[in-house]
Amino acid sequence: MKPLGHSGQNGGIRKLVGDTSVSGIGSLPVTFGQGRGVKAVMSVPPHGPAKLRRRHESSEDYALPWARKYRIKLRITDTILVVLCVFLSSDAIAESLDIASERLLQANIGVASVWLLTLWLWRTRDPRLVGVGPGEYKKMISASTAAFGWLAVLFLLYGAHRMSVAFLITMPVGTIALLIGRWGWRRWLTRQRAYGHYLSRVIVLGDREDVTYVVEQIHKKSGAAYEVVGVALEDPGADRSMNVGQNRIPIVASLDNICDAVIEHNADAVIVAGQVTRGGSYLRELGWKLEESATELVVALALTNVAGPRIQMRPVEGLPLMHVDLPQFTGYKHLLKRSLDIVASAMALLLLSPILVVLAIMIRKDSPGPVIFRQDRVGRDGGIFEMYKFRSMVANAEEVLATLADQNEGSGPLFKIHNDPRITKVGAWMRRYSLDELPQLMNVLKGQMSLVGPRPPLSTEVENYDGHTYRRLYIKPGITGLWQVSGRSDLSWKESVRMDLYYVENWSMTGDFMIMWRTLHVMRDHVGAY
């Protein structure tokens, strides 16, 4: 793969995604233009090795800046963690297994070497993955699992049964340590990008509407890892700049002189937003020209609500065909998801029972009325179920609702207002940290909800759904989800629906774990909770 990054603190390009850190399930795609759906993005490398490097004398220089330095930091961290886990864990159990020290040392060196080799073969430090989305964590787990399989076979062939027992302890401990290490570096990288460091300089190309949306998403999402240095419009006219939100972005080129603008502004990549009127031949020639300056080309394809794992490139006789796998709403993955729901909800109810009792006493003393608020919600396939929450409002909140209709600040069919007078003193505190939703663990245990999923809608909301919005009901609603970790009540109705539909068709177990992890941060920072 062509190395990423140029001079200074600019780096290689990554997939154009929404919130990153989220997104698990992969990252959310973005929407270009009105009513055009969601776009999946793929990076298109140059057609061949760049013979003319206007900004780099060699490929070694080309790989130097932040991307290469960051990979070195990851490599050192991975090596230290693997060696420590292998030697410390094996030493701790060697005496009980009665393994000779010389043989143990040889085995440890072999285990660490195979493990580190697998991390390299699986490209776990690929700059296109690190710091963005769940792909980095998936690669780490896959590489560690593969190393475990290879070593298990070797131990079996050589009859080293005692060492295989030691490795059963070393492997999970080491994998967890590696994941924690990557998480720590990702947090560091995110903080650096918040200060404008370690960003890829890009020029966004396309028509005005699509370019505006892409630039808005890059400015909105801190995990986008891009710095927009300018835009290139199909019809720039006499304008020298354009307003995007509160920012004024310079118009640096048209379709004809984009390559000159890349050199002038030292851009690392060109992002093509939406379809270009000149068609595929223009993109092909643009890729060839950008090759001369070692600049990458990123193309947005018009695919609705499709995540990367569902996209497969299959060339047929020189024709690159993109296959989009069908979304899965049943099968073994859903069985695994249900198993996780049962185990996690049961353990959470048991561990949190003292807190639940304390909250119930506080609610009872704060205001008259039941402790648990019960409300009918619409579940999978349109089924009605009774959802549980700690009561955070006055007992007659539903009757008072009609008098507050003119103060509604929510979008779409949702009713939301800041400083809702119906909320009790204890209720406001519980909502701030999302503690009022803890009783929904009972709904999860009963199989009516899942830990992660779309937001459970009211019947009145479902009555106002248009055709595609009904797809939110294809899987069980969740206590948390993409909407929960991406702004909650601060989101528009259209944005919350888009996130739910994306999750429905692209969810994964890894994504669920990442959403649950991010939920803890949202509860701590009480983002969008009111």
Side-chain angles (χ1 to χ4, degrees):
M1 178 178 294
K2 185 169 70 65
L4 306 180
H6 296 315
S7 58
Q9 290 178 327
N10 303 321
I13 202 70
R14 287 171 173 71
K15 289 189 223 176
L16 180 61
V17 295
D19 188 350
T20 75
S21 317
V22 181
S23 82
I25 31 191
S27 303
L28 275 176
V30 295
T31 307
F32 298 99
Q34 297 293 331
R36 300 189 187 182
V38 179
K39 310 293 185 186
V41 175
M42 73 175 192
S43 178
V44 181
H47 289 70
K51 297 181 179 179
L52 301 176
R53 297 186 182 273
R54 301 179 185 176
R55 289 171 289 169
H56 316 285
E57 296 180 356
S58 67
S59 60
E60 184 68 19
D61 293 331
Y62 175 70
L64 265 177
W66 79 264
R68 184 165 182 258
K69 294 177 181 178
Y70 188 70
R71 288 201 301 272
I72 292 174
K73 293 173 181 176
L74 293 182
R75 187 178 298 113
I76 294 173
T77 303
D78 292 344
T79 302
I80 293 174
L81 290 175
V82 167
V83 171
L84 284 177
C85 289
V86 168
F87 280 83
L88 292 180
S89 60
S90 62
D91 289 343
I93 62 176
E95 184 176 351
S96 61
L97 293 176
D98 192 24
I99 301 176
S101 58
E102 182 179 350
R103 187 179 181 187
L104 181 64
L105 177 61
Q106 296 173 352
N108 285 340
I109 294 175
V111 169
S113 300
V114 171
W115 202 342
L116 291 173
L117 176 63
T118 310
L119 292 176
W120 176 73
L121 291 175
W122 259 245
R123 307 182 75 170
T124 59
R125 292 177 283 270
D126 187 342
R128 298 173 187 267
L129 293 176
V130 294
V132 178
E136 180 180 6
Y137 299 126
K138 289 182 178 180
K139 287 265 189 180
M140 296 295 291
I141 296 174
S142 298
S144 297
T145 303
F148 172 80
W150 292 350
L151 289 166
V153 172
L154 290 175
F155 289 146
L156 182 63
L157 293 176
Y158 286 93
H161 302 296
R162 292 179 179 178
M163 277 306 303
S164 62
V165 175
F167 191 56
L168 285 174
I169 299 175
T170 305
M171 198 67 203
V173 173
T175 302
I176 294 173
L178 287 171
L179 293 175
I180 293 175
R182 290 303 180 92
W183 172 78
W185 277 116
R186 178 174 291 199
R187 286 180 60 85
W188 177 85
L189 184 61
T190 301
R191 288 195 298 269
Q192 293 297 316
R193 286 172 173 169
Y195 292 106
H197 306 311
Y198 297 90
L199 297 173
S200 297
R201 296 169 59 87
V202 298
I203 295 176
V204 183
L205 179 149
D207 66 42
R208 193 176 295 266
E209 182 182 11
D210 290 342
V211 166
T212 298
Y213 187 85
V214 171
V215 175
E216 284 179 344
Q217 292 301 306
I218 292 175
H219 288 163
K220 182 189 305 182
K221 309 297 184 182
S222 61
Y226 300 131
E227 177 189 1
V228 179
V229 297
V231 299
L233 301 180
E234 293 187 354
D235 184 18
D239 296 336
R240 293 294 187 91
S241 61
M242 61 183 290
N243 289 322
V244 179
Q246 298 180 349
N247 301 292
R248 192 151 186 86
I249 309 299
I251 299 176
V252 299
S254 64
L255 298 189
D256 296 319
N257 60 347
I258 178 67
C259 294
D260 294 333
V262 166
I263 301 300
E264 179 181 353
H265 295 274
N266 196 33
D268 300 303
V270 172
I271 298 177
V272 180
Q275 296 185 1
V276 181
T277 55
R278 298 189 186 182
S281 60
Y282 172 79
L283 293 182
R284 181 176 64 250
E285 294 179 7
L286 177 60
W288 292 340
K289 292 180 180 179
L290 292 177
E291 176 186 353
E292 299 176 0
S293 58
T295 305
E296 288 194 335
L297 180 65
V298 179
V299 182
L301 303 177
L303 292 174
T304 303
N305 280 340
V306 178
R310 288 178 54 202
I311 300 174
Q312 302 293 332
M313 295 298 297
R314 299 173 186 172
V316 177
E317 299 297 334
L319 178 65
L321 299 179
M322 178 176 291
H323 290 245
V324 181
D325 294 337
L326 294 174
Q328 300 295 321
F329 304 113
T330 58
Y332 78 95
K333 287 175 55 179
H334 288 266
L335 180 61
L336 290 176
K337 185 179 178 71
R338 178 58 187 152
S339 300
L340 174 64
D341 287 342
I342 294 174
V343 174
S345 60
M347 291 183 61
L349 286 170
L350 180 63
L351 296 175
L352 297 176
S353 55
I355 297 177
L356 298 178
V357 172
V358 172
L359 291 175
I361 295 174
M362 293 173 62
I363 295 169
R364 178 70 71 179
K365 290 185 175 182
D366 182 57
S367 62
V371 171
I372 299 296
F373 173 71
R374 304 166 186 263
Q375 188 177 51
D376 287 342
R377 296 292 180 109
V378 181
R380 183 175 183 178
D381 297 329
I384 304 297
F385 70 96
E386 193 174 57
M387 189 184 75
Y388 309 127
K389 296 181 69 173
F390 277 130
R391 181 175 59 83
S392 59
M393 294 185 174
V394 295
N396 64 338
E398 294 297 312
E399 290 77 12
V400 179
L401 177 62
T403 65
L404 302 173
D406 58 337
Q407 304 179 38
N408 184 20
E409 300 173 5
S411 59
L414 299 179
F415 180 87
K416 285 284 185 180
I417 57 175
H418 286 83
N419 302 317
D420 194 324
R422 300 173 299 164
I423 299 177
T424 63
K425 184 177 180 180
V426 172
W429 176 78
M430 288 192 303
R431 282 177 168 235
R432 187 179 184 185
Y433 297 100
S434 302
L435 298 177
D436 58 317
E437 299 177 0
L438 289 179
Q440 292 174 30
L441 291 169
M442 282 299 303
N443 293 114
V444 175
L445 190 61
K446 293 168 65 175
Q448 299 164 333
M449 294 179 63
S450 180
L451 292 173
V452 183
R455 187 185 61 82
L458 295 164
S459 298
T460 53
E461 294 177 37
V462 176
E463 292 173 359
N464 295 321
Y465 279 179
D466 56 23
H468 71 274
T469 310
Y470 277 103
R471 297 179 69 85
R472 298 172 78 185
L473 307 179
Y474 282 4
I475 64 175
K476 295 177 183 178
I479 297 179
T480 185
L482 279 177
W483 53 274
Q484 177 98 0
V485 300
S486 303
R488 299 179 64 183
S489 299
D490 293 336
L491 295 175
S492 66
W493 167 252
K494 182 179 179 180
E495 190 72 6
S496 63
V497 169
R498 183 177 76 87
M499 289 186 175
D500 279 346
L501 293 179
Y502 179 84
Y503 176 84
V504 167
E505 298 190 357
N506 301 286
W507 75 271
S508 66
M509 294 298 294
T510 304
D512 281 2
F513 283 121
M514 293 189 68
I515 290 174
M516 286 188 280
W517 174 254
R518 291 182 61 193
T519 299
L520 298 177
H521 292 270
V522 171
M523 292 175 64
R524 180 196 63 191
D525 300 334
H526 45 84
V527 177
Y530 56 87

PDB file of all heavy atoms in Angstrom, residues 312-339:
ATOM      1  N   GLN A 312     -18.200  -5.175  -1.270  1.00  0.00           N
ATOM      2  CA  GLN A 312     -17.135  -6.040  -1.769  1.00  0.00           C
ATOM      3  C   GLN A 312     -16.813  -5.656  -3.210  1.00  0.00           C
ATOM      4  O   GLN A 312     -17.702  -5.575  -4.054  1.00  0.00           O
ATOM      5  CB  GLN A 312     -17.568  -7.521  -1.715  1.00  0.00           C
ATOM      6  CG  GLN A 312     -17.951  -8.015  -0.334  1.00  0.00           C
ATOM      7  CD  GLN A 312     -16.785  -8.067   0.612  1.00  0.00           C
ATOM      8  OE1 GLN A 312     -15.639  -8.235   0.181  1.00  0.00           O
ATOM      9  NE2 GLN A 312     -17.047  -7.954   1.909  1.00  0.00           N
ATOM     10  N   MET A 313     -15.526  -5.414  -3.489  1.00  0.00           N
ATOM     11  CA  MET A 313     -15.089  -5.120  -4.853  1.00  0.00           C
ATOM     12  C   MET A 313     -14.712  -6.424  -5.547  1.00  0.00           C
ATOM     13  O   MET A 313     -13.864  -7.173  -5.052  1.00  0.00           O
ATOM     14  CB  MET A 313     -13.907  -4.165  -4.833  1.00  0.00           C
ATOM     15  CG  MET A 313     -14.229  -2.784  -4.275  1.00  0.00           C
ATOM     16  SD  MET A 313     -15.462  -1.891  -5.250  1.00  0.00           S
ATOM     17  CE  MET A 313     -14.589  -1.719  -6.803  1.00  0.00           C
ATOM     18  N   ARG A 314     -15.337  -6.706  -6.691  1.00  0.00           N
ATOM     19  CA  ARG A 314     -15.072  -7.949  -7.413  1.00  0.00           C
ATOM     20  C   ARG A 314     -14.847  -7.627  -8.888  1.00  0.00           C
ATOM     21  O   ARG A 314     -15.801  -7.472  -9.655  1.00  0.00           O
ATOM     22  CB  ARG A 314     -16.255  -8.911  -7.270  1.00  0.00           C
ATOM     23  CG  ARG A 314     -16.536  -9.293  -5.821  1.00  0.00           C
ATOM     24  CD  ARG A 314     -17.803 -10.096  -5.679  1.00  0.00           C
ATOM     25  NE  ARG A 314     -18.128 -10.341  -4.282  1.00  0.00           N
ATOM     26  CZ  ARG A 314     -19.267 -10.884  -3.862  1.00  0.00           C
ATOM     27  NH1 ARG A 314     -20.190 -11.228  -4.741  1.00  0.00           N
ATOM     28  NH2 ARG A 314     -19.490 -11.062  -2.571  1.00  0.00           N
ATOM     29  N   PRO A 315     -13.598  -7.508  -9.284  1.00  0.00           N
ATOM     30  CA  PRO A 315     -13.316  -7.202 -10.698  1.00  0.00           C
ATOM     31  C   PRO A 315     -13.643  -8.386 -11.587  1.00  0.00           C
ATOM     32  O   PRO A 315     -13.299  -9.528 -11.292  1.00  0.00           O
ATOM     33  CB  PRO A 315     -11.818  -6.898 -10.689  1.00  0.00           C
ATOM     34  CG  PRO A 315     -11.282  -7.612  -9.491  1.00  0.00           C
ATOM     35  CD  PRO A 315     -12.379  -7.603  -8.465  1.00  0.00           C
ATOM     36  N   VAL A 316     -14.321  -8.097 -12.692  1.00  0.00           N
ATOM     37  CA  VAL A 316     -14.678  -9.124 -13.674  1.00  0.00           C
ATOM     38  C   VAL A 316     -14.180  -8.658 -15.034  1.00  0.00           C
ATOM     39  O   VAL A 316     -14.697  -7.685 -15.587  1.00  0.00           O
ATOM     40  CB  VAL A 316     -16.198  -9.367 -13.712  1.00  0.00           C
ATOM     41  CG1 VAL A 316     -16.539 -10.392 -14.799  1.00  0.00           C
ATOM     42  CG2 VAL A 316     -16.693  -9.819 -12.350  1.00  0.00           C
ATOM     43  N   GLU A 317     -13.130  -9.356 -15.557  1.00  0.00           N
ATOM     44  CA  GLU A 317     -12.570  -9.027 -16.851  1.00  0.00           C
ATOM     45  C   GLU A 317     -12.206  -7.547 -16.949  1.00  0.00           C
ATOM     46  O   GLU A 317     -12.534  -6.866 -17.923  1.00  0.00           O
ATOM     47  CB  GLU A 317     -13.560  -9.403 -17.967  1.00  0.00           C
ATOM     48  CG  GLU A 317     -13.901 -10.880 -18.040  1.00  0.00           C
ATOM     49  CD  GLU A 317     -12.683 -11.744 -18.361  1.00  0.00           C
ATOM     50  OE1 GLU A 317     -11.752 -11.218 -18.989  1.00  0.00           O
ATOM     51  OE2 GLU A 317     -12.672 -12.921 -17.983  1.00  0.00           O
ATOM     52  N   GLY A 318     -11.547  -7.058 -15.905  1.00  0.00           N
ATOM     53  CA  GLY A 318     -11.108  -5.668 -15.918  1.00  0.00           C
ATOM     54  C   GLY A 318     -12.171  -4.662 -15.535  1.00  0.00           C
ATOM     55  O   GLY A 318     -11.891  -3.467 -15.456  1.00  0.00           O
ATOM     56  N   LEU A 319     -13.421  -5.128 -15.314  1.00  0.00           N
ATOM     57  CA  LEU A 319     -14.497  -4.226 -14.924  1.00  0.00           C
ATOM     58  C   LEU A 319     -14.690  -4.306 -13.414  1.00  0.00           C
ATOM     59  O   LEU A 319     -15.089  -5.349 -12.899  1.00  0.00           O
ATOM     60  CB  LEU A 319     -15.798  -4.616 -15.638  1.00  0.00           C
ATOM     61  CG  LEU A 319     -17.033  -3.775 -15.293  1.00  0.00           C
ATOM     62  CD1 LEU A 319     -16.841  -2.338 -15.765  1.00  0.00           C
ATOM     63  CD2 LEU A 319     -18.282  -4.387 -15.926  1.00  0.00           C
ATOM     64  N   PRO A 320     -14.397  -3.248 -12.672  1.00  0.00           N
ATOM     65  CA  PRO A 320     -14.547  -3.290 -11.211  1.00  0.00           C
ATOM     66  C   PRO A 320     -16.016  -3.208 -10.812  1.00  0.00           C
ATOM     67  O   PRO A 320     -16.669  -2.179 -10.984  1.00  0.00           O
ATOM     68  CB  PRO A 320     -13.778  -2.045 -10.743  1.00  0.00           C
ATOM     69  CG  PRO A 320     -13.838  -1.100 -11.890  1.00  0.00           C
ATOM     70  CD  PRO A 320     -13.865  -1.951 -13.137  1.00  0.00           C
ATOM     71  N   LEU A 321     -16.547  -4.312 -10.305  1.00  0.00           N
ATOM     72  CA  LEU A 321     -17.940  -4.361  -9.868  1.00  0.00           C
ATOM     73  C   LEU A 321     -18.003  -4.272  -8.348  1.00  0.00           C
ATOM     74  O   LEU A 321     -17.261  -4.951  -7.642  1.00  0.00           O
ATOM     75  CB  LEU A 321     -18.603  -5.659 -10.336  1.00  0.00           C
ATOM     76  CG  LEU A 321     -18.670  -5.872 -11.846  1.00  0.00           C
ATOM     77  CD1 LEU A 321     -19.334  -7.215 -12.150  1.00  0.00           C
ATOM     78  CD2 LEU A 321     -19.421  -4.734 -12.528  1.00  0.00           C
ATOM     79  N   MET A 322     -18.899  -3.463  -7.861  1.00  0.00           N
ATOM     80  CA  MET A 322     -19.077  -3.309  -6.425  1.00  0.00           C
ATOM     81  C   MET A 322     -20.343  -4.055  -6.011  1.00  0.00           C
ATOM     82  O   MET A 322     -21.450  -3.702  -6.418  1.00  0.00           O
ATOM     83  CB  MET A 322     -19.182  -1.832  -6.039  1.00  0.00           C
ATOM     84  CG  MET A 322     -19.407  -1.613  -4.554  1.00  0.00           C
ATOM     85  SD  MET A 322     -19.409   0.134  -4.120  1.00  0.00           S
ATOM     86  CE  MET A 322     -17.687   0.529  -4.382  1.00  0.00           C
ATOM     87  N   HIS A 323     -20.167  -5.087  -5.196  1.00  0.00           N
ATOM     88  CA  HIS A 323     -21.291  -5.867  -4.700  1.00  0.00           C
ATOM     89  C   HIS A 323     -21.669  -5.376  -3.303  1.00  0.00           C
ATOM     90  O   HIS A 323     -20.798  -5.206  -2.444  1.00  0.00           O
ATOM     91  CB  HIS A 323     -20.931  -7.352  -4.644  1.00  0.00           C
ATOM     92  CG  HIS A 323     -20.801  -7.985  -5.994  1.00  0.00           C
ATOM     93  ND1 HIS A 323     -21.654  -8.980  -6.433  1.00  0.00           N
ATOM     94  CD2 HIS A 323     -19.936  -7.766  -7.011  1.00  0.00           C
ATOM     95  CE1 HIS A 323     -21.300  -9.350  -7.664  1.00  0.00           C
ATOM     96  NE2 HIS A 323     -20.265  -8.622  -8.023  1.00  0.00           N
ATOM     97  N   VAL A 324     -22.953  -5.184  -3.086  1.00  0.00           N
ATOM     98  CA  VAL A 324     -23.456  -4.750  -1.779  1.00  0.00           C
ATOM     99  C   VAL A 324     -24.249  -5.900  -1.179  1.00  0.00           C
ATOM    100  O   VAL A 324     -25.285  -6.307  -1.715  1.00  0.00           O
ATOM    101  CB  VAL A 324     -24.343  -3.499  -1.915  1.00  0.00           C
ATOM    102  CG1 VAL A 324     -24.834  -3.054  -0.537  1.00  0.00           C
ATOM    103  CG2 VAL A 324     -23.571  -2.363  -2.585  1.00  0.00           C
ATOM    104  N   ASP A 325     -23.742  -6.465  -0.082  1.00  0.00           N
ATOM    105  CA  ASP A 325     -24.414  -7.587   0.557  1.00  0.00           C
ATOM    106  C   ASP A 325     -25.753  -7.149   1.134  1.00  0.00           C
ATOM    107  O   ASP A 325     -25.918  -6.013   1.591  1.00  0.00           O
ATOM    108  CB  ASP A 325     -23.546  -8.162   1.682  1.00  0.00           C
ATOM    109  CG  ASP A 325     -22.273  -8.791   1.147  1.00  0.00           C
ATOM    110  OD1 ASP A 325     -22.264  -9.163  -0.043  1.00  0.00           O
ATOM    111  OD2 ASP A 325     -21.298  -8.890   1.915  1.00  0.00           O
ATOM    112  N   LEU A 326     -26.701  -8.073   1.148  1.00  0.00           N
ATOM    113  CA  LEU A 326     -28.017  -7.783   1.718  1.00  0.00           C
ATOM    114  C   LEU A 326     -27.909  -7.646   3.238  1.00  0.00           C
ATOM    115  O   LEU A 326     -27.153  -8.371   3.881  1.00  0.00           O
ATOM    116  CB  LEU A 326     -29.001  -8.910   1.379  1.00  0.00           C
ATOM    117  CG  LEU A 326     -29.356  -9.086  -0.100  1.00  0.00           C
ATOM    118  CD1 LEU A 326     -30.219 -10.324  -0.277  1.00  0.00           C
ATOM    119  CD2 LEU A 326     -30.087  -7.853  -0.622  1.00  0.00           C
ATOM    120  N   PRO A 327     -28.668  -6.725   3.828  1.00  0.00           N
ATOM    121  CA  PRO A 327     -28.677  -6.635   5.298  1.00  0.00           C
ATOM    122  C   PRO A 327     -29.303  -7.887   5.901  1.00  0.00           C
ATOM    123  O   PRO A 327     -30.219  -8.475   5.322  1.00  0.00           O
ATOM    124  CB  PRO A 327     -29.527  -5.389   5.574  1.00  0.00           C
ATOM    125  CG  PRO A 327     -30.377  -5.220   4.350  1.00  0.00           C
ATOM    126  CD  PRO A 327     -29.552  -5.724   3.198  1.00  0.00           C
ATOM    127  N   GLN A 328     -28.805  -8.301   7.052  1.00  0.00           N
ATOM    128  CA  GLN A 328     -29.278  -9.507   7.714  1.00  0.00           C
ATOM    129  C   GLN A 328     -30.107  -9.131   8.947  1.00  0.00           C
ATOM    130  O   GLN A 328     -29.618  -8.422   9.823  1.00  0.00           O
ATOM    131  CB  GLN A 328     -28.094 -10.389   8.129  1.00  0.00           C
ATOM    132  CG  GLN A 328     -27.223 -10.841   6.971  1.00  0.00           C
ATOM    133  CD  GLN A 328     -27.965 -11.748   6.003  1.00  0.00           C
ATOM    134  OE1 GLN A 328     -28.760 -12.604   6.411  1.00  0.00           O
ATOM    135  NE2 GLN A 328     -27.708 -11.563   4.713  1.00  0.00           N
ATOM    136  N   PHE A 329     -31.347  -9.590   9.002  1.00  0.00           N
ATOM    137  CA  PHE A 329     -32.218  -9.298  10.134  1.00  0.00           C
ATOM    138  C   PHE A 329     -32.492 -10.531  10.993  1.00  0.00           C
ATOM    139  O   PHE A 329     -33.209 -10.458  11.981  1.00  0.00           O
ATOM    140  CB  PHE A 329     -33.540  -8.699   9.635  1.00  0.00           C
ATOM    141  CG  PHE A 329     -33.349  -7.475   8.796  1.00  0.00           C
ATOM    142  CD1 PHE A 329     -33.669  -7.475   7.450  1.00  0.00           C
ATOM    143  CD2 PHE A 329     -32.831  -6.307   9.347  1.00  0.00           C
ATOM    144  CE1 PHE A 329     -33.485  -6.349   6.670  1.00  0.00           C
ATOM    145  CE2 PHE A 329     -32.642  -5.175   8.574  1.00  0.00           C
ATOM    146  CZ  PHE A 329     -32.974  -5.196   7.233  1.00  0.00           C
ATOM    147  N   THR A 330     -31.942 -11.672  10.591  1.00  0.00           N
ATOM    148  CA  THR A 330     -32.047 -12.899  11.384  1.00  0.00           C
ATOM    149  C   THR A 330     -30.722 -13.636  11.253  1.00  0.00           C
ATOM    150  O   THR A 330     -29.845 -13.235  10.496  1.00  0.00           O
ATOM    151  CB  THR A 330     -33.199 -13.798  10.879  1.00  0.00           C
ATOM    152  OG1 THR A 330     -32.979 -14.116   9.489  1.00  0.00           O
ATOM    153  CG2 THR A 330     -34.551 -13.119  11.048  1.00  0.00           C
ATOM    154  N   GLY A 331     -30.585 -14.746  11.978  1.00  0.00           N
ATOM    155  CA  GLY A 331     -29.389 -15.556  11.855  1.00  0.00           C
ATOM    156  C   GLY A 331     -28.577 -15.610  13.127  1.00  0.00           C
ATOM    157  O   GLY A 331     -29.001 -15.146  14.203  1.00  0.00           O
ATOM    158  N   TYR A 332     -27.378 -16.195  13.016  1.00  0.00           N
ATOM    159  CA  TYR A 332     -26.565 -16.462  14.191  1.00  0.00           C
ATOM    160  C   TYR A 332     -26.115 -15.184  14.884  1.00  0.00           C
ATOM    161  O   TYR A 332     -25.950 -15.158  16.112  1.00  0.00           O
ATOM    162  CB  TYR A 332     -25.353 -17.319  13.803  1.00  0.00           C
ATOM    163  CG  TYR A 332     -24.236 -16.549  13.130  1.00  0.00           C
ATOM    164  CD1 TYR A 332     -23.159 -16.062  13.870  1.00  0.00           C
ATOM    165  CD2 TYR A 332     -24.261 -16.298  11.761  1.00  0.00           C
ATOM    166  CE1 TYR A 332     -22.139 -15.344  13.264  1.00  0.00           C
ATOM    167  CE2 TYR A 332     -23.247 -15.590  11.154  1.00  0.00           C
ATOM    168  CZ  TYR A 332     -22.185 -15.111  11.903  1.00  0.00           C
ATOM    169  OH  TYR A 332     -21.192 -14.411  11.307  1.00  0.00           O
ATOM    170  N   LYS A 333     -25.899 -14.102  14.120  1.00  0.00           N
ATOM    171  CA  LYS A 333     -25.485 -12.851  14.740  1.00  0.00           C
ATOM    172  C   LYS A 333     -26.552 -12.341  15.706  1.00  0.00           C
ATOM    173  O   LYS A 333     -26.239 -11.825  16.776  1.00  0.00           O
ATOM    174  CB  LYS A 333     -25.195 -11.792  13.669  1.00  0.00           C
ATOM    175  CG  LYS A 333     -23.909 -12.031  12.890  1.00  0.00           C
ATOM    176  CD  LYS A 333     -23.740 -11.019  11.773  1.00  0.00           C
ATOM    177  CE  LYS A 333     -23.814  -9.597  12.282  1.00  0.00           C
ATOM    178  NZ  LYS A 333     -23.622  -8.615  11.178  1.00  0.00           N
ATOM    179  N   HIS A 334     -27.802 -12.492  15.323  1.00  0.00           N
ATOM    180  CA  HIS A 334     -28.877 -12.054  16.211  1.00  0.00           C
ATOM    181  C   HIS A 334     -28.982 -12.968  17.424  1.00  0.00           C
ATOM    182  O   HIS A 334     -29.378 -12.521  18.510  1.00  0.00           O
ATOM    183  CB  HIS A 334     -30.205 -12.010  15.449  1.00  0.00           C
ATOM    184  CG  HIS A 334     -30.286 -10.881  14.460  1.00  0.00           C
ATOM    185  ND1 HIS A 334     -30.857  -9.657  14.766  1.00  0.00           N
ATOM    186  CD2 HIS A 334     -29.841 -10.768  13.182  1.00  0.00           C
ATOM    187  CE1 HIS A 334     -30.772  -8.858  13.721  1.00  0.00           C
ATOM    188  NE2 HIS A 334     -30.163  -9.500  12.742  1.00  0.00           N
ATOM    189  N   LEU A 335     -28.644 -14.243  17.249  1.00  0.00           N
ATOM    190  CA  LEU A 335     -28.622 -15.153  18.394  1.00  0.00           C
ATOM    191  C   LEU A 335     -27.527 -14.747  19.380  1.00  0.00           C
ATOM    192  O   LEU A 335     -27.739 -14.748  20.599  1.00  0.00           O
ATOM    193  CB  LEU A 335     -28.409 -16.583  17.904  1.00  0.00           C
ATOM    194  CG  LEU A 335     -28.367 -17.669  18.996  1.00  0.00           C
ATOM    195  CD1 LEU A 335     -29.692 -17.712  19.754  1.00  0.00           C
ATOM    196  CD2 LEU A 335     -28.067 -19.039  18.382  1.00  0.00           C
ATOM    197  N   LEU A 336     -26.358 -14.392  18.851  1.00  0.00           N
ATOM    198  CA  LEU A 336     -25.281 -13.913  19.717  1.00  0.00           C
ATOM    199  C   LEU A 336     -25.678 -12.618  20.426  1.00  0.00           C
ATOM    200  O   LEU A 336     -25.387 -12.421  21.608  1.00  0.00           O
ATOM    201  CB  LEU A 336     -24.013 -13.694  18.896  1.00  0.00           C
ATOM    202  CG  LEU A 336     -23.309 -14.932  18.356  1.00  0.00           C
ATOM    203  CD1 LEU A 336     -22.131 -14.530  17.478  1.00  0.00           C
ATOM    204  CD2 LEU A 336     -22.825 -15.815  19.504  1.00  0.00           C
ATOM    205  N   LYS A 337     -26.349 -11.739  19.698  1.00  0.00           N
ATOM    206  CA  LYS A 337     -26.792 -10.469  20.273  1.00  0.00           C
ATOM    207  C   LYS A 337     -27.774 -10.716  21.411  1.00  0.00           C
ATOM    208  O   LYS A 337     -27.695 -10.078  22.472  1.00  0.00           O
ATOM    209  CB  LYS A 337     -27.448  -9.620  19.182  1.00  0.00           C
ATOM    210  CG  LYS A 337     -27.843  -8.210  19.607  1.00  0.00           C
ATOM    211  CD  LYS A 337     -28.452  -7.473  18.425  1.00  0.00           C
ATOM    212  CE  LYS A 337     -28.921  -6.079  18.797  1.00  0.00           C
ATOM    213  NZ  LYS A 337     -27.814  -5.150  19.041  1.00  0.00           N
ATOM    214  N   ARG A 338     -28.692 -11.661  21.211  1.00  0.00           N
ATOM    215  CA  ARG A 338     -29.675 -11.980  22.262  1.00  0.00           C
ATOM    216  C   ARG A 338     -28.989 -12.611  23.470  1.00  0.00           C
ATOM    217  O   ARG A 338     -29.336 -12.313  24.624  1.00  0.00           O
ATOM    218  CB  ARG A 338     -30.747 -12.928  21.699  1.00  0.00           C
ATOM    219  CG  ARG A 338     -31.787 -13.368  22.726  1.00  0.00           C
ATOM    220  CD  ARG A 338     -32.484 -12.174  23.334  1.00  0.00           C
ATOM    221  NE  ARG A 338     -33.365 -12.563  24.447  1.00  0.00           N
ATOM    222  CZ  ARG A 338     -33.668 -11.774  25.460  1.00  0.00           C
ATOM    223  NH1 ARG A 338     -33.175 -10.548  25.541  1.00  0.00           N
ATOM    224  NH2 ARG A 338     -34.468 -12.194  26.410  1.00  0.00           N
ATOM    225  N   SER A 339     -27.990 -13.451  23.229  1.00  0.00           N
ATOM    226  CA  SER A 339     -27.258 -14.066  24.342  1.00  0.00           C
ATOM    227  C   SER A 339     -26.550 -12.997  25.173  1.00  0.00           C
ATOM    228  O   SER A 339     -26.564 -13.035  26.409  1.00  0.00           O
ATOM    229  CB  SER A 339     -26.242 -15.076  23.803  1.00  0.00           C
ATOM    230  OG  SER A 339     -26.882 -16.098  23.072  1.00  0.00           O
TER     231      SER A 339
END
